[in-house]
């Protein structure tokens, strides 16, 4: 079952829905045209399909191997990584001053969908490096940027984020890793970090670790955390590699449910030499640049795994002959009909397809906001920054929840075959599960949404988003019959989200448990509204082509898929709203010992 990158879907979104050619005068888009983007996606698809995808099962079966602190990747992975670097793919969106190509985030996120679907574990190596690259670019000194970023931009060197410790995951105020100044501007870093993705491997000559630690005498809790750059190998003034930073080592690998091809490391820092990044005791603010980058990447990963799982399920359904159609044999010359004749199989496949295609548009719409943050127009830039803050927890949590759901549906379509290792459904399900947990578990994303993002700046972001949806509904309120259900469905779901927002404002302040109890249902309504918004935009774009005389069946299929979303998925918003309004009583009344 070969992965096929959805080039047509993404070019439709980029060119006909988002119309990226409209932004040719915006920062980062001056040298970008739809023709160039088409070429990038076609070449990226070819690389993902031919080089990365064949290694996905190899990585799952072999995993990584640890030997006395050294980690080797699965067979063929080092060579594939080298080919990726030589082709320039890690440098796609990195800054030109560091040797990058400076492509917009929306283009990089499109390519990222391909690599993450071809092999989620493989895509994490360049993905973690990109997060560290942008974090260091935002917070590092000029000397640190010059020393590390050019090689990180190209992928010649790796990068990591070191947050979690055995006693703390979400609550980073509990970290114990300490930093002792040496008097020469460097620090000795001592402590243990766990679950460090790509923490050690044999793909690159150097790995640049960004490590949270507490300087001796710093305030307790979050306010006393600083960020440090700790290279695996020291870098000389001329840029060449020096001695090994012997105090920084991988003490072992985690044994995991999935993503076996990625080295998830226990990192032991025993007097490792590092340097402060940014300001003392401001490490969490600096780390959030990387965390937000990683959260978007994790949402993309959940979607991408769902995309690959859906493709495998469709291929299996076409080939699998079982039973006869309820309305008469559709394959009378064969022993049975394909399972595609059964309504419930179609329900599962359409649910997967509707989510995948809506998620693709949601991801690229959000990536466009990341680019518009740099607009020369301050109003546009402010709105885009507001949207990035508001949308990031929704995209991470909703797309990973539903990506796992799609992987589960794909296994169900496979039946018993999916539960075996002869088909890829099992790996997709196992790989997808972690996306709901790491980079902030989805329940934490929901709390972040209702507790921090909604009230930020007096609710400016959500009010602006509601206004944009209202304007879209007003513009297309008189749309023709094929588009009308999309517009009406969007308007109705937005109304439910607005009602949920008002309930939180009225009930969350007087009892914070009400906000916590409502948060996951609220995030689900938000996710449904977001997908309703992009599905309505896709419906308008598809119908425009049909009205212009196009006979391409792609546009009809797009409307049919979206109709399933509107009629069979969007009504879930009503159930979430009803649950949201029950408040915290039923959750908090039971004493702990009764569980």
């Amino acid at each position: 079952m070969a992965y096929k990158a959805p080039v047509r879907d993404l070019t439709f979104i980029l060119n006909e829905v988002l119309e990226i050619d409209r932004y040719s005068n915006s920062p980062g888009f001056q040298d970008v045209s739809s023709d160039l983007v088409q070429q990038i996606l076609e070449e990226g698809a070819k690389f993902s399909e031919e080089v990365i995808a064949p290694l996905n099962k190899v990585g799952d079966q072999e995993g990584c191997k640890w030997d006395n602190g050294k980690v080797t990747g699965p067979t063929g992975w080092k060579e594939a990584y080298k080919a990726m670097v030589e082709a320039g793919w890690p440098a796609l969106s990195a800054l030109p001053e560091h040797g990058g190509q400076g492509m917009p985030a929306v283009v990089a996120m499109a390519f990222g969908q391909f690599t993450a679907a071809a092999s989620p574990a493989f895509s994490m190596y360049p993905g973690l490096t990109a997060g560290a690259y942008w974090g260091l670019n935002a917070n590092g000194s000029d000397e640190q940027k010059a020393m590390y970023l050019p090689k990180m931009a190209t992928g010649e060197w790796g990068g990591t984020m070191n947050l979690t410790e055995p006693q703390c995951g979400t609550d980073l105020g509990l970290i114990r890793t300490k930093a002792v100044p040496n008097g020469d501007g460097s620090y000795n870093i001592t402590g243990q970090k766990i679950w460090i993705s790509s923490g050690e491997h044999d793909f690159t000559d150097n790995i640049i670790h960004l490590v949270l630690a507490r300087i001796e005498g710093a305030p307790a809790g979050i306010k006393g955390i600083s960020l440090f750059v700790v290279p695996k190998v020291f870098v000389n003034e001329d840029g060449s590699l020096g001695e090994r930073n012997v105090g920084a080592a991988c003490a072992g690998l985690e044994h995991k449910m999935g993503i076996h091809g990625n080295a998830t490391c226990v990192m032991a820092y025993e007097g490792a030499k590092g340097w402060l990044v940014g300001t003392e005791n401001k490490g969490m603010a600096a780390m959030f640049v990387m965390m937000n980058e990683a959260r978007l990447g994790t949402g993309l990963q959940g979607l991408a795994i769902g995309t690959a799982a859906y493709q495998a399920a469709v291929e299996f359904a076409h080939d699998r002959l079982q039973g006869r159609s309820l309305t008469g044999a559709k394959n009378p010359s064969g022993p049975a009909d394909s399972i595609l004749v059964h309504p419930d199989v179609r329900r599962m496949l359409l649910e997967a397809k509707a989510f995948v295609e809506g998620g693709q548009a949601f991801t690229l719409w959000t990536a466009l906001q990341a680019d518009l943050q740099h607009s020369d127009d301050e109003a546009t830039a402010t709105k885009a920054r507001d949207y990035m803050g508001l949308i990031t927890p929704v995209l991470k949590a909703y797309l990973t929840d539903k990506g796992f759901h799609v992987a589960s549906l794909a296994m169900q379509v496979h039946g018993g075959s999916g539960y075996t290792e002869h088909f890829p459904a099992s790996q997709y399900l196992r790989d997808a599960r972690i996306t709901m947990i790491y980079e902030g578990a989805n329940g934490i994303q929901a709390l972040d949404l209702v507790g921090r993002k909604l009230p930020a700046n007096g609710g400016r972001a959500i009010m602006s988003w509601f206004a944009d949806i209202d304007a879209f509904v007003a513009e297309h309120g008189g749309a023709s019959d094929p588009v009308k259900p999309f517009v009406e469905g969007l308007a109705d779901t937005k109304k439910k989200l607005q009602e949920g927002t008002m309930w939180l404002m009225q009930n969350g302040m007087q009892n914070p448990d009400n906000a916590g109890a409502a948060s996951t249902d609220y995030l689900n309504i938000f996710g449904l509204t977001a997908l309703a918004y992009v599905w309505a935009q896709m419906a308008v774009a598809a119908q425009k082509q049909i009205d212009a005389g196009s006979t391409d069946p792609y546009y009809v299929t797009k409307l049919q898929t979206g109709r399933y979303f509107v009629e069979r998925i969007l009504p879930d918003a009503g159930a979430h709203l009803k649950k949201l309004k029950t408040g915290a009583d039923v959750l908090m009344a039971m004493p702990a010992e009764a569980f």
Side-chain angles (χ1 to χ4, degrees):
M1 290 185 173
Y3 166 68
K4 185 69 176 175
V7 175
R8 178 67 192 277
D9 282 337
L10 299 200
T11 52
F12 166 70
I13 296 164
L14 290 170
N15 297 340
E16 299 176 49
V17 180
L18 299 180
E19 298 178 319
I20 61 169
D21 281 339
R22 292 189 299 144
Y23 302 99
S24 59
N25 294 323
S26 299
F29 284 89
Q30 288 91 339
D31 299 321
V32 178
S33 66
S34 54
D35 289 340
L36 175 61
V37 171
Q38 181 76 26
Q39 293 174 18
I40 291 171
L41 293 189
E42 288 176 354
E43 289 302 312
K46 184 178 179 181
F47 187 85
S48 298
E49 293 166 2
E50 297 179 2
V51 179
I52 301 178
L55 298 174
N56 195 37
K57 188 172 184 178
V58 176
D60 185 54
Q61 293 177 329
E62 292 186 11
C64 297
K65 295 178 176 61
W66 180 91
D67 182 21
N68 195 28
K70 295 183 179 180
V71 175
T72 54
T75 302
W77 282 46
K78 182 178 181 178
E79 293 76 12
Y81 185 89
K82 181 180 179 182
M84 181 176 64
V85 171
E86 290 177 348
W89 291 115
L92 192 61
S93 63
L95 299 173
E97 56 261 39
H98 302 138
Q101 299 172 41
M103 285 288 113
V106 72
V107 177
M109 289 283 270
F111 171 68
Q113 289 193 36
F114 298 165
T115 58
S119 176
F122 184 92
S123 72
M124 291 170 67
Y125 290 99
L128 268 295
T129 301
Y133 168 86
W134 289 111
L136 198 54
N137 182 69
N139 300 285
S141 65
D142 290 342
E143 182 183 15
Q144 289 170 343
K145 293 178 186 179
M147 180 174 289
Y148 300 117
L149 294 189
K151 292 292 180 69
M152 294 175 73
T154 60
E156 292 174 77
W157 291 352
T160 70
M161 300 162 49
N162 284 238
L163 292 78
T164 307
E165 298 181 7
Q167 76 286 350
C168 68
T170 301
D171 189 356
L172 291 171
L174 300 176
I175 70 169
R176 297 173 185 161
T177 300
K178 64 180 181 179
V180 179
N182 291 320
D184 61 357
S186 69
Y187 292 76
N188 278 351
I189 311 297
T190 301
Q192 187 184 81
K193 299 290 184 177
I194 63 171
W195 306 337
I196 307 306
S197 300
S198 314
E200 174 61 27
H201 51 78
D202 59 340
F203 300 171
T204 61
D205 294 330
N206 203 0
I207 301 174
I208 311 304
H209 304 292
L210 292 179
V211 183
L212 287 182
R214 193 183 307 278
I215 298 173
E216 286 189 324
I222 293 291
K223 294 181 179 179
I225 297 176
S226 300
L227 181 65
F228 299 86
V229 57
V230 184
K232 172 183 173 179
V233 182
F234 295 127
V235 182
N236 298 319
E237 289 187 8
D238 64 358
S240 63
L241 293 179
E243 297 179 356
R244 179 80 160 80
N245 193 350
V246 292
C250 174
L253 295 175
E254 301 288 355
H255 298 278
K256 303 167 296 185
M257 175 179 175
I259 56 168
H260 295 151
N262 190 265
T264 306
C265 301
V266 177
M267 298 298 297
Y269 295 97
E270 299 177 0
K273 185 173 284 189
W275 287 264
L276 182 68
V277 176
T279 307
E280 283 188 18
N281 305 329
K282 300 294 183 183
M284 281 305 298
M287 186 62 86
F288 264 114
V289 175
M290 288 174 280
M291 290 171 69
N292 286 334
E293 180 88 7
R295 285 170 178 171
L296 292 172
T298 303
L300 179 149
Q301 188 181 50
L303 164 70
I305 296 171
T307 303
Y310 163 72
Q311 288 186 6
V314 169
E315 185 173 340
F316 182 89
H318 275 290
D319 292 341
R320 181 68 166 172
L321 303 181
Q322 290 284 286
R324 290 295 189 186
S325 167
L326 297 174
T327 56
K330 301 297 186 290
N331 179 32
S333 61
D337 292 331
S338 84
I339 61 173
L340 266 171
V341 304
H342 303 304
D344 195 59
V345 172
R346 285 174 167 254
R347 173 191 64 82
M348 292 186 283
L349 291 176
L350 273 168
E351 183 143 336
K353 182 175 173 64
F355 161 73
V356 162
E357 295 183 12
Q360 289 168 348
F362 183 29
T363 301
L364 295 184
W365 180 91
T366 304
L368 180 59
Q369 308 311 307
D371 291 316
L372 295 179
Q373 291 179 109
H374 309 295
S375 173
D376 295 328
D377 178 69
E378 186 54 38
T380 299
T382 297
K383 179 190 281 191
R385 284 192 293 269
D386 284 351
Y387 285 174
M388 288 301 294
L390 180 69
I391 294 296
T392 294
V394 179
L395 187 145
K396 190 279 178 185
Y398 191 75
L399 293 192
T400 57
D401 267 353
K402 298 306 176 186
F404 179 75
H405 177 59
V406 167
S408 182
L409 289 172
M411 176 174 280
Q412 192 71 16
V413 170
H414 280 79
S417 299
Y419 200 68
T420 71
E421 296 300 326
H422 298 294
F423 290 85
S426 171
Q427 183 182 350
Y428 290 137
L429 192 72
R430 289 184 285 103
D431 285 352
R433 190 59 186 85
I434 185 58
T435 65
M436 303 163 70
I437 299 172
Y438 59 15
E439 306 309 338
N442 286 357
I444 300 298
Q445 302 298 326
L447 286 175
D448 179 47
L449 174 64
V450 302
R452 295 179 63 238
K453 301 305 172 59
L454 278 183
N457 300 306
R460 184 176 69 196
I462 188 69
M463 293 300 109
S464 177
W465 201 57
F466 285 155
D468 279 358
I469 292 175
D470 287 342
F472 179 90
V473 169
E475 180 182 356
H476 300 285
S480 60
D481 286 344
V483 173
K484 187 176 181 180
F486 291 87
V487 178
E488 292 178 344
L490 170 61
D492 180 68
T493 308
K494 175 259 177 182
K495 184 179 178 181
K496 289 181 171 63
L497 180 62
Q498 202 163 19
E499 191 174 338
T501 306
M502 293 301 296
W503 188 94
L504 282 170
M505 292 173 61
Q506 294 165 2
N507 296 275
M509 293 289 289
Q510 63 186 27
N511 180 3
D513 278 342
N514 279 332
S519 60
T520 292
D521 285 301
Y522 182 82
L523 188 144
N524 272 280
I525 303 171
F526 208 127
L528 285 164
T529 308
L531 260 64
Y533 191 18
V534 294
W535 261 117
Q537 294 176 56
M538 288 192 286
V540 168
Q543 188 60 42
K544 180 180 179 181
Q545 295 296 329
I546 294 171
D547 291 343
S550 174
T551 57
D552 188 341
Y554 178 86
Y555 298 111
V556 173
T557 301
K558 185 65 68 176
L559 289 170
Q560 290 171 333
T561 305
R563 181 182 163 197
Y564 181 92
F565 174 80
V566 171
E567 295 183 10
R568 301 283 300 230
I569 298 177
L570 207 48
D572 289 348
H576 285 298
L577 180 62
K578 189 167 184 177
K579 289 188 287 184
L580 179 155
K581 289 182 175 181
T582 62
D585 288 350
V586 71
L587 296 180
M588 308 308 294
M590 187 180 294
E593 58 271 17
F595 282 89

